[in-house]
Amino acid sequence: MCSPELETACNEGLVCEPLMDPAGEHVCAAPFEIRGRVVDALDEHPIEGAHVTAMDERGAPMTAVTRSGADGEYVLSLSVARDTAGEPAPAQQWMLAVSARDYLAFPGTLRPSFPIDVSEAQSPDEAAGAPWTIEDPTTVVALIPLGAERPAGVTITGRVESEAAAGTLVVAEGVEPAVVGVADVEGDFTLFNVPPGNATVRGYRQGVELEPVALTVAADDIADVRLAVITDRIEAMATVEGSVTLVDAGGARTTSVVLVPSSVFAEGFERGPVPLGLRAPAPPEAPSITGPFSIAGVPAGVYRVLAAFENDQLVRDPDASISGTQILEIEVAGGQAVELGSSFKVTAALEVLGPGRDGPEEVEGTPVFRWVDDSSEDRYEIVVYDARGTEVWRDDQLPRITGGDLVEVSYDGAALTAGMFYQWRATSWGDGPQGSVALTRTEDLRGVFVVR
């Protein structure tokens, strides 16, 4: 056994790591590393200077930031729970977060981060004092360039001055577009590609209220921005309460509710990054909301409230003619309770068959979009977006399906770009004498594909 305060208790080349069981004990073991590369998604050239960190299943960082080299390669050193023999304990997963100048951050509006599973770790050559390593396709990250229509902007660096800083969503607001970063395990953050203008840097994380910092962004990078703590007493912070109602939910019975700062909410995608902890139920618990919900420790700010945002076979009811179906925007003042006036209505989603049923999927040639028929529709609408938020194709007059339960639609828009990520969404519509009514649609996080 060893103590993390006494690294000398371990032989050279070993580290003092926590035991999975019994909790609180430690063992000397070989180090653990994630190794990979960061490349340009469109031409696959290596990206130097990308910031890489590993996140746990809640979205909290587990490491300080490391930077990719000239060859795009990086190495992340992790503290990993062990068994009594010093081997990595099972059932551990991490996800990567990567950002770089001139590129969209990963994960992003369309792109989730694939889990990196401890079972893929390669055992070390003990004689050579080598570490445990994971290096496979999930550790290669392809970043999407900003595009010519969005200049790179400047870089802002700083620190969240809180004991609970790790995982804070840091946003440069007031400029267009707002720019997001996440504080690493040491509280340090970097905001790449911030456009010029009068910006306010804010931090969002459950249980921590931070003092915003006003900046004038011009041509030069800005360093050492400090976000000071106003309070870290969760009982002194705001609470958001409301309820959901499941309508025609099929076999789905539970959902979740999240808060997204309005400054980073993507209107076309109807989504945005969720600050650590601003979710009911608390992460990483599986969706379990069936009626009332409460999110405590909410920092002051303006938020969109999203119900059924995750892949739970449910979606926000898209029928805009009834109450409880609109995306609600709320303003939260420090320490004040916010009670939402109406219940969010959610309904069964159109089932996606592909591409992108269970995660981003590679496609070649002309993609064919497939989903399970609604059976009550008069027509369908389909729309395709690229990862930059640009709508690339829409058809809102797809005829209803009869005599089967499968809908198949071939892409019929402009040529798609190799290496670019896209998402397709389908909505079923009822056309009656009182007008058209949206019935249901595919889930928010499915339908993502990349062209090869």
PDB file of all heavy atoms in Angstrom, residues 20-53:
ATOM      1  N   MET A  20     -10.005   0.489  -6.189  1.00  0.00           N
ATOM      2  CA  MET A  20     -11.455   0.521  -6.358  1.00  0.00           C
ATOM      3  C   MET A  20     -12.149   0.026  -5.089  1.00  0.00           C
ATOM      4  O   MET A  20     -13.170   0.558  -4.676  1.00  0.00           O
ATOM      5  CB  MET A  20     -11.851  -0.343  -7.559  1.00  0.00           C
ATOM      6  CG  MET A  20     -13.356  -0.397  -7.815  1.00  0.00           C
ATOM      7  SD  MET A  20     -14.023   1.184  -8.385  1.00  0.00           S
ATOM      8  CE  MET A  20     -13.504   1.169 -10.102  1.00  0.00           C
ATOM      9  N   ASP A  21     -11.578  -1.008  -4.470  1.00  0.00           N
ATOM     10  CA  ASP A  21     -12.146  -1.586  -3.250  1.00  0.00           C
ATOM     11  C   ASP A  21     -10.994  -2.183  -2.443  1.00  0.00           C
ATOM     12  O   ASP A  21     -10.214  -2.989  -2.968  1.00  0.00           O
ATOM     13  CB  ASP A  21     -13.181  -2.652  -3.607  1.00  0.00           C
ATOM     14  CG  ASP A  21     -13.948  -3.142  -2.394  1.00  0.00           C
ATOM     15  OD1 ASP A  21     -14.102  -2.359  -1.437  1.00  0.00           O
ATOM     16  OD2 ASP A  21     -14.385  -4.303  -2.407  1.00  0.00           O
ATOM     17  N   PRO A  22     -10.764  -1.814  -1.208  1.00  0.00           N
ATOM     18  CA  PRO A  22     -11.596  -0.893  -0.411  1.00  0.00           C
ATOM     19  C   PRO A  22     -11.309   0.577  -0.722  1.00  0.00           C
ATOM     20  O   PRO A  22     -10.169   0.932  -1.032  1.00  0.00           O
ATOM     21  CB  PRO A  22     -11.188  -1.220   1.024  1.00  0.00           C
ATOM     22  CG  PRO A  22      -9.757  -1.679   0.904  1.00  0.00           C
ATOM     23  CD  PRO A  22      -9.668  -2.407  -0.419  1.00  0.00           C
ATOM     24  N   ALA A  23     -12.356   1.370  -0.664  1.00  0.00           N
ATOM     25  CA  ALA A  23     -12.218   2.797  -0.931  1.00  0.00           C
ATOM     26  C   ALA A  23     -11.306   3.439   0.098  1.00  0.00           C
ATOM     27  O   ALA A  23     -11.312   3.087   1.274  1.00  0.00           O
ATOM     28  CB  ALA A  23     -13.587   3.465  -0.913  1.00  0.00           C
ATOM     29  N   GLY A  24     -10.507   4.419  -0.365  1.00  0.00           N
ATOM     30  CA  GLY A  24      -9.604   5.132   0.533  1.00  0.00           C
ATOM     31  C   GLY A  24      -8.211   4.543   0.584  1.00  0.00           C
ATOM     32  O   GLY A  24      -7.284   5.194   1.062  1.00  0.00           O
ATOM     33  N   GLU A  25      -8.027   3.309   0.098  1.00  0.00           N
ATOM     34  CA  GLU A  25      -6.713   2.694   0.072  1.00  0.00           C
ATOM     35  C   GLU A  25      -6.049   2.963  -1.283  1.00  0.00           C
ATOM     36  O   GLU A  25      -6.709   3.291  -2.271  1.00  0.00           O
ATOM     37  CB  GLU A  25      -6.820   1.186   0.308  1.00  0.00           C
ATOM     38  CG  GLU A  25      -7.414   0.820   1.667  1.00  0.00           C
ATOM     39  CD  GLU A  25      -6.483   1.156   2.813  1.00  0.00           C
ATOM     40  OE1 GLU A  25      -5.267   1.273   2.566  1.00  0.00           O
ATOM     41  OE2 GLU A  25      -6.961   1.304   3.941  1.00  0.00           O
ATOM     42  N   HIS A  26      -4.700   2.811  -1.315  1.00  0.00           N
ATOM     43  CA  HIS A  26      -3.948   3.052  -2.533  1.00  0.00           C
ATOM     44  C   HIS A  26      -2.948   1.923  -2.760  1.00  0.00           C
ATOM     45  O   HIS A  26      -2.606   1.180  -1.834  1.00  0.00           O
ATOM     46  CB  HIS A  26      -3.203   4.391  -2.463  1.00  0.00           C
ATOM     47  CG  HIS A  26      -4.107   5.581  -2.501  1.00  0.00           C
ATOM     48  ND1 HIS A  26      -4.873   5.961  -1.419  1.00  0.00           N
ATOM     49  CD2 HIS A  26      -4.382   6.466  -3.503  1.00  0.00           C
ATOM     50  CE1 HIS A  26      -5.574   7.038  -1.743  1.00  0.00           C
ATOM     51  NE2 HIS A  26      -5.292   7.365  -2.987  1.00  0.00           N
ATOM     52  N   VAL A  27      -2.495   1.801  -4.019  1.00  0.00           N
ATOM     53  CA  VAL A  27      -1.558   0.752  -4.379  1.00  0.00           C
ATOM     54  C   VAL A  27      -0.550   1.315  -5.387  1.00  0.00           C
ATOM     55  O   VAL A  27      -0.890   2.208  -6.171  1.00  0.00           O
ATOM     56  CB  VAL A  27      -2.305  -0.464  -4.985  1.00  0.00           C
ATOM     57  CG1 VAL A  27      -2.979  -0.096  -6.300  1.00  0.00           C
ATOM     58  CG2 VAL A  27      -1.370  -1.652  -5.173  1.00  0.00           C
ATOM     59  N   CYS A  28       0.684   0.818  -5.356  1.00  0.00           N
ATOM     60  CA  CYS A  28       1.683   1.204  -6.344  1.00  0.00           C
ATOM     61  C   CYS A  28       1.425   0.441  -7.639  1.00  0.00           C
ATOM     62  O   CYS A  28       1.214  -0.778  -7.617  1.00  0.00           O
ATOM     63  CB  CYS A  28       3.087   0.899  -5.834  1.00  0.00           C
ATOM     64  SG  CYS A  28       3.585   1.926  -4.426  1.00  0.00           S
ATOM     65  N   ALA A  29       1.458   1.172  -8.757  1.00  0.00           N
ATOM     66  CA  ALA A  29       1.127   0.536 -10.038  1.00  0.00           C
ATOM     67  C   ALA A  29       1.807   1.285 -11.175  1.00  0.00           C
ATOM     68  O   ALA A  29       2.265   2.420 -11.022  1.00  0.00           O
ATOM     69  CB  ALA A  29      -0.391   0.545 -10.235  1.00  0.00           C
ATOM     70  N   ALA A  30       1.850   0.642 -12.329  1.00  0.00           N
ATOM     71  CA  ALA A  30       2.391   1.286 -13.521  1.00  0.00           C
ATOM     72  C   ALA A  30       1.471   2.439 -13.924  1.00  0.00           C
ATOM     73  O   ALA A  30       0.249   2.368 -13.759  1.00  0.00           O
ATOM     74  CB  ALA A  30       2.495   0.276 -14.658  1.00  0.00           C
ATOM     75  N   PRO A  31       2.010   3.531 -14.468  1.00  0.00           N
ATOM     76  CA  PRO A  31       1.179   4.654 -14.899  1.00  0.00           C
ATOM     77  C   PRO A  31       0.187   4.229 -15.989  1.00  0.00           C
ATOM     78  O   PRO A  31       0.306   3.148 -16.578  1.00  0.00           O
ATOM     79  CB  PRO A  31       2.196   5.665 -15.440  1.00  0.00           C
ATOM     80  CG  PRO A  31       3.500   5.267 -14.852  1.00  0.00           C
ATOM     81  CD  PRO A  31       3.453   3.787 -14.683  1.00  0.00           C
ATOM     82  N   PHE A  32      -0.766   5.115 -16.241  1.00  0.00           N
ATOM     83  CA  PHE A  32      -1.807   4.852 -17.240  1.00  0.00           C
ATOM     84  C   PHE A  32      -1.869   6.036 -18.190  1.00  0.00           C
ATOM     85  O   PHE A  32      -1.913   7.193 -17.755  1.00  0.00           O
ATOM     86  CB  PHE A  32      -3.162   4.665 -16.544  1.00  0.00           C
ATOM     87  CG  PHE A  32      -4.246   4.139 -17.437  1.00  0.00           C
ATOM     88  CD1 PHE A  32      -4.568   2.794 -17.445  1.00  0.00           C
ATOM     89  CD2 PHE A  32      -4.956   4.984 -18.286  1.00  0.00           C
ATOM     90  CE1 PHE A  32      -5.569   2.304 -18.265  1.00  0.00           C
ATOM     91  CE2 PHE A  32      -5.946   4.511 -19.108  1.00  0.00           C
ATOM     92  CZ  PHE A  32      -6.264   3.160 -19.099  1.00  0.00           C
ATOM     93  N   GLU A  33      -1.870   5.758 -19.507  1.00  0.00           N
ATOM     94  CA  GLU A  33      -1.848   6.823 -20.503  1.00  0.00           C
ATOM     95  C   GLU A  33      -2.863   6.561 -21.613  1.00  0.00           C
ATOM     96  O   GLU A  33      -3.094   5.412 -22.007  1.00  0.00           O
ATOM     97  CB  GLU A  33      -0.458   6.952 -21.134  1.00  0.00           C
ATOM     98  CG  GLU A  33       0.620   7.389 -20.167  1.00  0.00           C
ATOM     99  CD  GLU A  33       1.994   7.443 -20.815  1.00  0.00           C
ATOM    100  OE1 GLU A  33       2.142   6.955 -21.959  1.00  0.00           O
ATOM    101  OE2 GLU A  33       2.922   7.960 -20.154  1.00  0.00           O
ATOM    102  N   ILE A  34      -3.446   7.654 -22.115  1.00  0.00           N
ATOM    103  CA  ILE A  34      -4.202   7.637 -23.364  1.00  0.00           C
ATOM    104  C   ILE A  34      -3.348   8.345 -24.402  1.00  0.00           C
ATOM    105  O   ILE A  34      -2.895   9.467 -24.175  1.00  0.00           O
ATOM    106  CB  ILE A  34      -5.561   8.337 -23.219  1.00  0.00           C
ATOM    107  CG1 ILE A  34      -6.455   7.578 -22.241  1.00  0.00           C
ATOM    108  CG2 ILE A  34      -6.262   8.479 -24.567  1.00  0.00           C
ATOM    109  CD1 ILE A  34      -7.775   8.270 -21.953  1.00  0.00           C
ATOM    110  N   ARG A  35      -3.121   7.680 -25.544  1.00  0.00           N
ATOM    111  CA  ARG A  35      -2.296   8.242 -26.595  1.00  0.00           C
ATOM    112  C   ARG A  35      -3.105   8.331 -27.885  1.00  0.00           C
ATOM    113  O   ARG A  35      -3.908   7.445 -28.193  1.00  0.00           O
ATOM    114  CB  ARG A  35      -1.060   7.377 -26.842  1.00  0.00           C
ATOM    115  CG  ARG A  35      -0.146   7.260 -25.628  1.00  0.00           C
ATOM    116  CD  ARG A  35       0.999   6.302 -25.906  1.00  0.00           C
ATOM    117  NE  ARG A  35       1.896   6.195 -24.759  1.00  0.00           N
ATOM    118  CZ  ARG A  35       2.952   5.386 -24.711  1.00  0.00           C
ATOM    119  NH1 ARG A  35       3.235   4.621 -25.759  1.00  0.00           N
ATOM    120  NH2 ARG A  35       3.712   5.343 -23.632  1.00  0.00           N
ATOM    121  N   GLY A  36      -2.914   9.404 -28.630  1.00  0.00           N
ATOM    122  CA  GLY A  36      -3.667   9.544 -29.865  1.00  0.00           C
ATOM    123  C   GLY A  36      -3.125  10.665 -30.724  1.00  0.00           C
ATOM    124  O   GLY A  36      -2.009  11.165 -30.515  1.00  0.00           O
ATOM    125  N   ARG A  37      -3.944  11.084 -31.697  1.00  0.00           N
ATOM    126  CA  ARG A  37      -3.563  12.147 -32.620  1.00  0.00           C
ATOM    127  C   ARG A  37      -4.736  13.080 -32.817  1.00  0.00           C
ATOM    128  O   ARG A  37      -5.900  12.681 -32.694  1.00  0.00           O
ATOM    129  CB  ARG A  37      -3.142  11.573 -33.984  1.00  0.00           C
ATOM    130  CG  ARG A  37      -1.932  10.691 -33.954  1.00  0.00           C
ATOM    131  CD  ARG A  37      -1.650  10.101 -35.328  1.00  0.00           C
ATOM    132  NE  ARG A  37      -1.284  11.135 -36.294  1.00  0.00           N
ATOM    133  CZ  ARG A  37      -1.903  11.324 -37.456  1.00  0.00           C
ATOM    134  NH1 ARG A  37      -2.942  10.573 -37.794  1.00  0.00           N
ATOM    135  NH2 ARG A  37      -1.495  12.279 -38.280  1.00  0.00           N
ATOM    136  N   VAL A  38      -4.426  14.336 -33.172  1.00  0.00           N
ATOM    137  CA  VAL A  38      -5.437  15.321 -33.558  1.00  0.00           C
ATOM    138  C   VAL A  38      -5.144  15.718 -34.991  1.00  0.00           C
ATOM    139  O   VAL A  38      -4.018  16.124 -35.317  1.00  0.00           O
ATOM    140  CB  VAL A  38      -5.400  16.561 -32.636  1.00  0.00           C
ATOM    141  CG1 VAL A  38      -6.529  17.522 -33.008  1.00  0.00           C
ATOM    142  CG2 VAL A  38      -5.520  16.142 -31.169  1.00  0.00           C
ATOM    143  N   VAL A  39      -6.168  15.589 -35.859  1.00  0.00           N
ATOM    144  CA  VAL A  39      -5.973  15.859 -37.285  1.00  0.00           C
ATOM    145  C   VAL A  39      -7.107  16.730 -37.804  1.00  0.00           C
ATOM    146  O   VAL A  39      -8.169  16.866 -37.178  1.00  0.00           O
ATOM    147  CB  VAL A  39      -5.910  14.551 -38.103  1.00  0.00           C
ATOM    148  CG1 VAL A  39      -4.745  13.688 -37.653  1.00  0.00           C
ATOM    149  CG2 VAL A  39      -7.227  13.783 -37.994  1.00  0.00           C
ATOM    150  N   ASP A  40      -6.876  17.323 -38.969  1.00  0.00           N
ATOM    151  CA  ASP A  40      -7.901  18.081 -39.679  1.00  0.00           C
ATOM    152  C   ASP A  40      -8.890  17.096 -40.300  1.00  0.00           C
ATOM    153  O   ASP A  40      -8.492  16.149 -40.990  1.00  0.00           O
ATOM    154  CB  ASP A  40      -7.231  18.930 -40.756  1.00  0.00           C
ATOM    155  CG  ASP A  40      -8.186  19.868 -41.467  1.00  0.00           C
ATOM    156  OD1 ASP A  40      -9.082  19.368 -42.172  1.00  0.00           O
ATOM    157  OD2 ASP A  40      -8.038  21.096 -41.333  1.00  0.00           O
ATOM    158  N   ALA A  41     -10.182  17.305 -40.066  1.00  0.00           N
ATOM    159  CA  ALA A  41     -11.188  16.365 -40.545  1.00  0.00           C
ATOM    160  C   ALA A  41     -11.278  16.327 -42.063  1.00  0.00           C
ATOM    161  O   ALA A  41     -11.657  15.299 -42.637  1.00  0.00           O
ATOM    162  CB  ALA A  41     -12.558  16.726 -39.962  1.00  0.00           C
ATOM    163  N   LEU A  42     -10.944  17.420 -42.726  1.00  0.00           N
ATOM    164  CA  LEU A  42     -11.166  17.501 -44.166  1.00  0.00           C
ATOM    165  C   LEU A  42      -9.984  16.999 -44.985  1.00  0.00           C
ATOM    166  O   LEU A  42     -10.168  16.418 -46.051  1.00  0.00           O
ATOM    167  CB  LEU A  42     -11.514  18.941 -44.568  1.00  0.00           C
ATOM    168  CG  LEU A  42     -12.727  19.551 -43.854  1.00  0.00           C
ATOM    169  CD1 LEU A  42     -13.098  20.867 -44.510  1.00  0.00           C
ATOM    170  CD2 LEU A  42     -13.916  18.596 -43.845  1.00  0.00           C
ATOM    171  N   ASP A  43      -8.751  17.210 -44.495  1.00  0.00           N
ATOM    172  CA  ASP A  43      -7.601  16.718 -45.273  1.00  0.00           C
ATOM    173  C   ASP A  43      -6.655  15.846 -44.448  1.00  0.00           C
ATOM    174  O   ASP A  43      -5.626  15.388 -44.958  1.00  0.00           O
ATOM    175  CB  ASP A  43      -6.831  17.881 -45.903  1.00  0.00           C
ATOM    176  CG  ASP A  43      -6.205  18.825 -44.863  1.00  0.00           C
ATOM    177  OD1 ASP A  43      -6.088  18.446 -43.688  1.00  0.00           O
ATOM    178  OD2 ASP A  43      -5.843  19.946 -45.259  1.00  0.00           O
ATOM    179  N   GLU A  44      -6.976  15.631 -43.179  1.00  0.00           N
ATOM    180  CA  GLU A  44      -6.265  14.702 -42.293  1.00  0.00           C
ATOM    181  C   GLU A  44      -4.824  15.123 -41.982  1.00  0.00           C
ATOM    182  O   GLU A  44      -4.024  14.308 -41.526  1.00  0.00           O
ATOM    183  CB  GLU A  44      -6.288  13.276 -42.858  1.00  0.00           C
ATOM    184  CG  GLU A  44      -7.701  12.719 -42.974  1.00  0.00           C
ATOM    185  CD  GLU A  44      -7.732  11.266 -43.370  1.00  0.00           C
ATOM    186  OE1 GLU A  44      -6.690  10.732 -43.768  1.00  0.00           O
ATOM    187  OE2 GLU A  44      -8.821  10.658 -43.288  1.00  0.00           O
ATOM    188  N   HIS A  45      -4.470  16.391 -42.192  1.00  0.00           N
ATOM    189  CA  HIS A  45      -3.116  16.802 -41.787  1.00  0.00           C
ATOM    190  C   HIS A  45      -3.083  16.974 -40.264  1.00  0.00           C
ATOM    191  O   HIS A  45      -4.104  17.305 -39.648  1.00  0.00           O
ATOM    192  CB  HIS A  45      -2.693  18.082 -42.509  1.00  0.00           C
ATOM    193  CG  HIS A  45      -3.270  19.347 -41.937  1.00  0.00           C
ATOM    194  ND1 HIS A  45      -4.360  19.993 -42.475  1.00  0.00           N
ATOM    195  CD2 HIS A  45      -2.905  20.100 -40.860  1.00  0.00           C
ATOM    196  CE1 HIS A  45      -4.629  21.072 -41.777  1.00  0.00           C
ATOM    197  NE2 HIS A  45      -3.769  21.164 -40.786  1.00  0.00           N
ATOM    198  N   PRO A  46      -1.933  16.736 -39.622  1.00  0.00           N
ATOM    199  CA  PRO A  46      -1.847  16.838 -38.157  1.00  0.00           C
ATOM    200  C   PRO A  46      -2.024  18.274 -37.688  1.00  0.00           C
ATOM    201  O   PRO A  46      -1.628  19.223 -38.366  1.00  0.00           O
ATOM    202  CB  PRO A  46      -0.445  16.318 -37.845  1.00  0.00           C
ATOM    203  CG  PRO A  46       0.326  16.489 -39.113  1.00  0.00           C
ATOM    204  CD  PRO A  46      -0.653  16.313 -40.228  1.00  0.00           C
ATOM    205  N   ILE A  47      -2.617  18.431 -36.516  1.00  0.00           N
ATOM    206  CA  ILE A  47      -2.831  19.745 -35.915  1.00  0.00           C
ATOM    207  C   ILE A  47      -1.910  19.877 -34.702  1.00  0.00           C
ATOM    208  O   ILE A  47      -1.998  19.092 -33.761  1.00  0.00           O
ATOM    209  CB  ILE A  47      -4.293  19.936 -35.492  1.00  0.00           C
ATOM    210  CG1 ILE A  47      -5.217  19.842 -36.711  1.00  0.00           C
ATOM    211  CG2 ILE A  47      -4.484  21.272 -34.784  1.00  0.00           C
ATOM    212  CD1 ILE A  47      -6.693  19.869 -36.366  1.00  0.00           C
ATOM    213  N   GLU A  48      -1.051  20.867 -34.752  1.00  0.00           N
ATOM    214  CA  GLU A  48      -0.135  21.126 -33.641  1.00  0.00           C
ATOM    215  C   GLU A  48      -0.752  22.114 -32.667  1.00  0.00           C
ATOM    216  O   GLU A  48      -1.455  23.043 -33.061  1.00  0.00           O
ATOM    217  CB  GLU A  48       1.177  21.693 -34.170  1.00  0.00           C
ATOM    218  CG  GLU A  48       2.222  21.951 -33.102  1.00  0.00           C
ATOM    219  CD  GLU A  48       3.523  22.482 -33.653  1.00  0.00           C
ATOM    220  OE1 GLU A  48       3.588  22.756 -34.871  1.00  0.00           O
ATOM    221  OE2 GLU A  48       4.484  22.615 -32.869  1.00  0.00           O
ATOM    222  N   GLY A  49      -0.515  21.898 -31.368  1.00  0.00           N
ATOM    223  CA  GLY A  49      -0.967  22.844 -30.349  1.00  0.00           C
ATOM    224  C   GLY A  49      -2.410  22.698 -29.936  1.00  0.00           C
ATOM    225  O   GLY A  49      -2.940  23.563 -29.229  1.00  0.00           O
ATOM    226  N   ALA A  50      -3.082  21.618 -30.360  1.00  0.00           N
ATOM    227  CA  ALA A  50      -4.451  21.380 -29.894  1.00  0.00           C
ATOM    228  C   ALA A  50      -4.437  21.043 -28.403  1.00  0.00           C
ATOM    229  O   ALA A  50      -3.530  20.365 -27.913  1.00  0.00           O
ATOM    230  CB  ALA A  50      -5.091  20.254 -30.685  1.00  0.00           C
ATOM    231  N   HIS A  51      -5.431  21.526 -27.679  1.00  0.00           N
ATOM    232  CA  HIS A  51      -5.566  21.235 -26.259  1.00  0.00           C
ATOM    233  C   HIS A  51      -6.434  19.996 -26.073  1.00  0.00           C
ATOM    234  O   HIS A  51      -7.551  19.942 -26.582  1.00  0.00           O
ATOM    235  CB  HIS A  51      -6.203  22.418 -25.532  1.00  0.00           C
ATOM    236  CG  HIS A  51      -5.297  23.596 -25.399  1.00  0.00           C
ATOM    237  ND1 HIS A  51      -5.459  24.563 -24.436  1.00  0.00           N
ATOM    238  CD2 HIS A  51      -4.195  23.968 -26.093  1.00  0.00           C
ATOM    239  CE1 HIS A  51      -4.513  25.475 -24.546  1.00  0.00           C
ATOM    240  NE2 HIS A  51      -3.735  25.134 -25.554  1.00  0.00           N
ATOM    241  N   VAL A  52      -5.928  19.019 -25.320  1.00  0.00           N
ATOM    242  CA  VAL A  52      -6.620  17.747 -25.141  1.00  0.00           C
ATOM    243  C   VAL A  52      -6.748  17.459 -23.659  1.00  0.00           C
ATOM    244  O   VAL A  52      -5.785  17.613 -22.899  1.00  0.00           O
ATOM    245  CB  VAL A  52      -5.861  16.589 -25.829  1.00  0.00           C
ATOM    246  CG1 VAL A  52      -6.664  15.302 -25.757  1.00  0.00           C
ATOM    247  CG2 VAL A  52      -5.529  16.936 -27.279  1.00  0.00           C
ATOM    248  N   THR A  53      -7.937  17.028 -23.248  1.00  0.00           N
ATOM    249  CA  THR A  53      -8.135  16.576 -21.869  1.00  0.00           C
ATOM    250  C   THR A  53      -9.119  15.415 -21.886  1.00  0.00           C
ATOM    251  O   THR A  53      -9.831  15.192 -22.867  1.00  0.00           O
ATOM    252  CB  THR A  53      -8.639  17.719 -20.966  1.00  0.00           C
ATOM    253  OG1 THR A  53      -8.632  17.286 -19.594  1.00  0.00           O
ATOM    254  CG2 THR A  53     -10.054  18.124 -21.336  1.00  0.00           C
TER     255      THR A  53
END
